[in-house]
């Protein structure tokens, strides 16, 4: 009813989103191929993917970039010690990256450093993003001006090249070593005795995690017996890939796990104590 213009995104005869006319479409399929091409170049593997109406995530891991987290505390890895850390190699973690995108304006294209815990395939996603891209602009050059397909392809090519640069940055061994050191520090911070329920309640409230997931997180803490800050991180990220957890909740749990791991010990104890 006014002079504003919008971009309406459709699929199979259904309107998916009503967006600004400056919104730049970055389609999941193009992002996928740009990412897997770079994974192959740097010796990484596509490990996990999620797709839902408003988002997509890809996780790549680097088998050749790894580190160990100490096991000098009383706990069970969650499988009754059947794994024994894959041949006694220890609690090995691998460098990883999460690439996220939305085709419907529910987020931006971003690349975040992540870590894969090999024994249980849990990811935590760190809040220090390698890159995030808010792309889109309105060209004020007249109503009849239109970008050619060739120009659009060149613009998109620049973005996919930047994505590939971000993947290479995420797999920096020096960056990864700092994250492993941070994880090791969390193993030495213990949840106060008999305060597991309070700790889970506090974490769920702080990170705005769905209450329906609270019982599953607590069950993970009690099952492993790992009453450390690290144990709570792993409990949250373990629930992220349970079959009953939807894609958006899973993504949020992995981000919350990374944020909790970054929290200094005194702040963690103040939260859960």
């Amino acid at each position: 009813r006014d002079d504003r213009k919008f971009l309406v995104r459709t699929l199979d005869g259904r309107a998916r989103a009503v967006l600004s006319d400056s919104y730049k479409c970055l389609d999941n399929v193009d992002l996928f191929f740009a990412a897997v091409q770079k994974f192959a170049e740097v010796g990484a593997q596509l490990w996990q993917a999620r797709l839902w109406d408003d988002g997509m995530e890809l996780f790549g891991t680097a088998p050749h970039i790894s580190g160990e987290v100490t096991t000098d505390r009383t706990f069970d890895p969650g499988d009754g010690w059947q794994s024994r850390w894959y041949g006694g190699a220890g609690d090995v973690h691998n460098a990883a990256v999460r690439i996220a995108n939305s085709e419907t304006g529910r987020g931006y294209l971003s690349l975040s450093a992540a870590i894969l815990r090999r024994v249980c395939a849990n990811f935590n996603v760190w809040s220090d993003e390698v890159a995030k891209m808010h792309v889109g602009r309105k060209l004020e050059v007249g109503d009849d001006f239109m970008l050619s397909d060739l120009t659009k392809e060149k613009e998109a090519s620049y973005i996919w090249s930047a994505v590939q640069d971000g993947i290479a940055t995420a797999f920096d061994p020096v960056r990864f070593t700092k994250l492993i050191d941070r994880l090791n520090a969390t193993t030495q911070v213990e949840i106060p005795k008999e305060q597991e329920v309070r700790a889970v309640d506090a974490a769920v409230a702080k990170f705005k995690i769905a209450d329906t997931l609270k019982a599953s997180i607590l069950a993970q803490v009690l099952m492993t017996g790992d009453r450390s800050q690290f144990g709570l991180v792993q409990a949250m990220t373990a629930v992220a890939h349970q079959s009953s957890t939807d894609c958006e909740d899973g993504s949020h749990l992995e981000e919350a796990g990374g944020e909790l791991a970054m929290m200094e010990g005194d702040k963690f104890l103040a939260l859960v104590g």
Side-chain angles (χ1 to χ4, degrees), residues 52-201:
W52 62 100
D53 283 348
D54 291 309
M56 181 188 76
E57 291 180 342
L58 303 174
F59 285 88
T61 65
H64 59 289
I65 305 176
S66 63
E68 290 190 28
V69 171
T70 180
T71 57
D72 61 347
R73 60 199 186 282
T74 301
F75 74 106
D76 181 309
D79 61 3
W81 290 98
Q82 295 174 24
S83 60
R84 289 307 301 183
W85 312 116
Y86 287 118
D91 191 0
V92 178
H93 291 61
N94 288 99
V97 63
R98 185 195 70 177
I99 305 169
N101 187 46
S102 173
E103 294 181 330
T104 59
R106 288 287 298 274
Y108 44 78
L109 194 164
S110 66
L111 292 89
S112 302
I115 287 184
L116 168 71
R117 190 187 192 193
R118 192 182 299 171
V119 71
C120 50
N122 293 352
F123 284 97
N124 56 68
V125 176
W126 300 78
S127 58
D128 59 333
E129 290 170 314
V130 177
K132 61 181 179 181
M133 305 176 190
H134 294 272
V135 290
R137 67 185 185 279
K138 186 174 182 179
L139 295 176
E140 301 290 349
V141 290
D143 291 340
D144 296 329
F145 181 87
M146 293 183 63
L147 292 177
S148 68
D149 289 342
L150 178 60
T151 300
K152 292 176 182 178
E153 288 176 8
K154 288 181 177 179
E155 284 192 326
S157 178
Y158 169 80
I159 293 167
W160 305 136
S161 179
V163 166
Q164 293 178 332
D165 290 344
I167 290 170
T169 300
F171 291 128
D172 175 17
V174 175
R175 172 191 287 267
F176 175 71
T177 297
K178 292 178 180 178
L179 299 184
I180 287 293
D181 290 343
R182 179 65 233 152
L183 281 183
N184 270 303
T186 64
T187 67
Q188 306 305 306
V189 182
E190 294 186 0
I191 296 172
K193 190 175 182 180
E194 299 181 358
Q195 292 295 316
E196 296 87 358
V197 174
R198 179 186 176 94
V200 171
D201 285 346

Side-chain angles (χ1 to χ4, degrees), residues 8-11 14-18 28 52-55 103-104:
V8 180
R9 300 216 72 183
T10 66
L11 180 67
R14 178 174 63 93
R16 301 176 68 200
V18 179
N28 292 334
W52 62 100
D53 283 348
D54 291 309
E103 294 181 330
T104 59

